[in-house]
Amino acid sequence: MATGSKRKTPPGILLLRRIRGRNWSPKTFRYAILLITFIAYACYHASRKPSSIVKSVLHPEPPSTKPPQPQEHINSKYPWPLGNVFVKEENVLSSKKGWEPFNGKGGTSRLGEIDVAFLACYSLGMYVAGHLGDTLDLRLFLTWGMIGSGFFVGLFGMGYFWDVHAFWFFLVMQMAAGLFQATGWPSVVAVVGNWFGKRKRGLIMGIWNAHTSVGNICGSLIAAGVLEYGWGWCFIAPGLVMSLGGVLVYLFLAAYPEDVGFPDINCNSGKFIKRRKNIEEDADVEGAGESSSSGSGSGSEPGYENKTGVGLLQACMIPGVIPFALCLFFSKLVAYTFLYWLPFYLSQTPIGGEYMSVKTAGNLSTLFDVGGIVGGILAGYISDKFKARATTAATFMYAAIPAMLVYHFYGGVSQTVNVLLMMVAGLFVNGPYALITTAVSADLGTHKSLQGDSRALATVTAIIDGTGSAGAALGPLLTGFLSTLGWQAVFYMLVVGALCAGLLLTRLVIAEIREKLGYVDEVPATEPLLNERR
């Protein structure tokens, strides 16, 4: 199915166009695209975070192993977020006895199985979602994905109010949510790729990719803030926010320049092109936007060609896709272990001789993502500066090894030391993860073998992130079992994962270094993958 045949201009943009009497300029649309996709994927990550916050409530540590903490008076005059955020002790329903079936022997293993069920379905769904994203209307595809994901995340939380204790119920809800969550990443990367060229792509997407960490932070704060009213609200609140985000996408997301009266964009120069007339228009020319006051509402203007997506096997043949996909497998194994288990680790580990409450651990864990924001931006800037994506990613992964070990062995000295080391670890762990899932995926999705066509963007993104998500499923699952042996075993697993991620890029790193030294002969492109045009 051609992507340009039945699309319509988003209703919110039509309304704004009628109010203003003219269309936005391409530059304004680009800002709007970055903002809307940022909010959308922040909602995706916010809805994934609650499960890590409630782990200590569903499966509390036996009282005999954890000394009682002194009660601290909490000023409830002002509700969160105006009231106290960091507390030593809070009154959470069922926090002492846990929640069946997670509070008994093997509870951590069942929590790990819940995580892997979500991530396995997310990983498998990613391959299908990527291909669909290249063939269907991205705006509608993303809208229904967000609403469906929010619905099932909320249903998981309803298990608290319905007094559900059947393991299969929570398992099915997580699996369904994982399938709907798979619609997010290929779609938002493809939308951004449709509007932006390769110039400064690493820096732009590094900043834009902060939505991952912002979503994690917001999800943690929301879940921790409503935890005292029952752990079910930790899922219902983010699920509602997720669904509202889907409405925002439906109303205002212009997934393609053609949908709002502009021609296609050249992936290398970042300029809009009319293929039939073979001319280029600068993306920032105001006249192009102001003259399109009535714009084509259908998005299927006769002057521009329709596009068809490539298959999974064709996309896998693009040079660099497989090495980066395998690297992301281990990179996300490390990153998602922190995402799902860091609050639980903080609540079960003495820091400065004291144990943290569930709420404090959830709030403190957000600082890992603050470091991740800096890491994503820094990795994007460095890779743009030196034009070396693989070298940058591998260097960050190798640096993550000592950062994680130092955090494990010295993070318990004091809360201040823990915060600093946590942020440093987050910087090196999330840096390459952010770089590969954004700029690298977009680069490969518009590889020269595709003749500058972006029809493989969502598919390539899905292959890379889908493979990475398989690692994201494996990490939390292994942690559920290894944590029973002690947290040192978990950190050794993370070290091995980071090492493997770096080693898998060795061949590409050598190629980049040789190219910088002038030892690489330019190899002519093979037969283009997309050589048939409609």
Side-chain angles (χ1 to χ4, degrees):
M1 171 179 157
T3 58
S5 57
K6 296 182 180 180
R7 296 196 311 265
K8 296 182 179 180
T9 301
I13 293 179
L14 285 176
L15 177 62
L16 292 175
R17 185 181 290 167
R18 291 193 185 101
I19 294 174
R20 297 181 73 245
R22 59 185 182 180
N23 200 12
W24 281 342
S25 68
K27 187 175 183 179
T28 303
F29 270 112
R30 280 176 160 171
Y31 287 132
I33 291 300
L34 287 177
L35 177 62
I36 294 173
T37 53
F38 186 99
I39 294 174
Y41 208 69
C43 290
Y44 273 95
H45 262 262
S47 66
R48 298 176 194 176
K49 194 64 179 176
S51 63
S52 67
I53 302 298
V54 302
K55 275 186 171 71
S56 295
V57 177
L58 300 178
H59 179 75
E61 189 176 11
S64 59
T65 64
K66 190 172 179 177
Q69 293 295 311
Q71 292 287 338
E72 178 180 308
H73 176 68
I74 300 176
N75 182 10
S76 59
K77 182 178 179 180
Y78 299 104
W80 180 90
L82 299 179
N84 289 355
V85 175
F86 291 92
V87 296
K88 289 184 178 180
E89 190 80 8
E90 73 282 286
N91 181 26
V92 179
L93 294 176
S94 303
S95 64
K96 300 302 180 185
K97 63 180 180 180
W99 189 268
E100 191 179 350
F102 305 106
N103 59 346
K105 186 178 180 180
T108 56
S109 297
R110 286 187 172 180
L111 290 171
E113 290 167 7
I114 287 288
D115 291 341
V116 78
F118 171 88
L119 291 168
C121 290
Y122 175 75
S123 177
L124 294 175
M126 187 76 70
Y127 295 99
V128 179
H131 182 66
L132 291 177
D134 278 329
T135 56
L136 302 178
D137 187 339
L138 283 171
R139 178 174 64 92
L140 298 180
F141 188 58
L142 189 58
T143 296
W144 287 111
M146 294 184 70
I147 293 175
S149 179
F151 175 74
F152 284 105
V153 169
L155 279 183
F156 189 99
M158 288 303 297
Y160 170 81
F161 298 98
W162 293 339
D163 198 27
V164 176
H165 296 278
F167 179 69
W168 67 265
F169 172 83
F170 299 105
L171 190 68
V172 171
M173 292 305 104
Q174 284 289 76
M175 293 172 69
L179 288 174
F180 277 96
Q181 288 256 336
T183 61
W185 190 241
S187 299
V188 295
V189 172
V191 170
V192 173
N194 289 337
W195 281 90
F196 290 86
K198 289 185 178 180
R199 187 172 178 267
K200 294 186 179 180
R201 177 177 279 170
L203 178 60
I204 292 173
M205 285 193 155
I207 298 173
W208 172 75
N209 190 68
H211 53 50
T212 299
S213 297
V214 170
N216 291 339
I217 292 170
C218 292
S220 297
L221 294 178
I222 292 173
V226 300
L227 183 60
E228 60 184 294
Y229 304 108
W231 64 260
W233 284 108
C234 297
F235 292 88
I236 295 174
L240 178 61
V241 173
M242 180 78 160
S243 298
L244 293 177
V247 175
L248 174 69
V249 167
Y250 175 77
L251 292 176
F252 295 103
L253 182 66
Y256 311 86
E258 303 97 309
D259 289 359
V260 286
F262 298 109
D264 194 12
I265 188 174
N266 183 285
C267 67
N268 292 308
S269 67
K271 297 180 180 180
F272 292 98
I273 58 174
K274 291 182 178 179
R275 295 187 187 275
R276 289 195 176 184
K277 296 182 181 181
N278 199 29
I279 63 173
E280 293 193 357
E281 299 178 72
D282 192 288
D284 298 336
V285 176
E286 295 290 334
E290 307 299 337
S291 64
S292 304
S293 58
S294 60
S296 173
S298 64
S300 56
E301 299 201 9
Y304 313 114
E305 62 173 323
N306 291 328
K307 298 179 181 180
T308 56
V310 300
L312 290 174
L313 292 179
Q314 288 178 300
C316 286
M317 297 302 294
I318 298 174
V321 168
I322 297 301
F324 275 113
L326 293 176
C327 172
L328 191 62
F329 175 93
F330 291 100
S331 179
K332 289 190 77 168
L333 182 151
V334 176
Y336 269 64
T337 297
F338 279 100
L339 174 67
Y340 280 94
W341 286 93
L342 183 57
F344 185 77
Y345 169 75
L346 290 172
S347 66
Q348 306 295 322
T349 304
I351 299 176
E354 296 182 352
Y355 284 88
M356 291 184 178
S357 68
V358 176
K359 182 175 182 178
T360 301
N363 288 320
L364 189 64
S365 68
T366 62
L367 297 176
F368 181 86
D369 293 292
V370 173
I373 293 175
V374 178
I377 296 174
L378 187 61
Y381 174 77
I382 293 174
S383 68
D384 277 345
K385 182 74 173 178
F386 297 101
K387 293 181 174 57
R389 307 282 199 217
T391 304
T392 303
T395 302
F396 270 67
M397 289 311 307
Y398 290 137
I401 295 175
M404 291 187 295
L405 290 176
V406 171
Y407 174 68
H408 174 57
F409 289 114
Y410 297 100
V413 172
S414 69
Q415 186 166 320
T416 301
V417 173
N418 189 284
V419 167
L420 293 176
L421 294 180
M422 184 193 307
M423 293 178 68
V424 172
L427 185 151
F428 289 116
V429 169
N430 283 355
Y433 160 43
L435 179 65
I436 295 173
T437 54
T438 54
V440 170
S441 296
D443 286 349
L444 297 176
T446 53
H447 193 266
K448 61 185 179 182
S449 62
L450 302 174
Q451 293 184 333
D453 202 312
S454 61
R455 287 176 291 189
L457 251 176
T459 303
V460 169
T461 302
I463 292 172
I464 293 178
D465 201 44
T467 304
S469 297
L474 181 61
L477 176 65
L478 293 176
T479 302
F481 293 99
L482 291 176
S483 61
T484 60
L485 304 176
W487 288 106
Q488 188 166 330
V490 174
F491 275 86
Y492 285 156
M493 175 197 73
L494 298 178
V495 167
V496 172
L499 179 63
C500 291
L503 291 176
L504 283 166
L505 293 180
T506 300
R507 185 168 176 268
L508 296 178
V509 169
I510 294 175
E512 287 181 348
I513 294 175
R514 286 177 59 84
E515 184 178 3
K516 296 298 178 184
L517 296 176
Y519 293 134
V520 178
D521 296 327
E522 185 67 25
V523 180
T526 56
E527 184 71 16
L529 297 177
L530 299 178
N531 50 13
E532 295 182 3
R533 297 189 175 272
R534 292 188 177 183

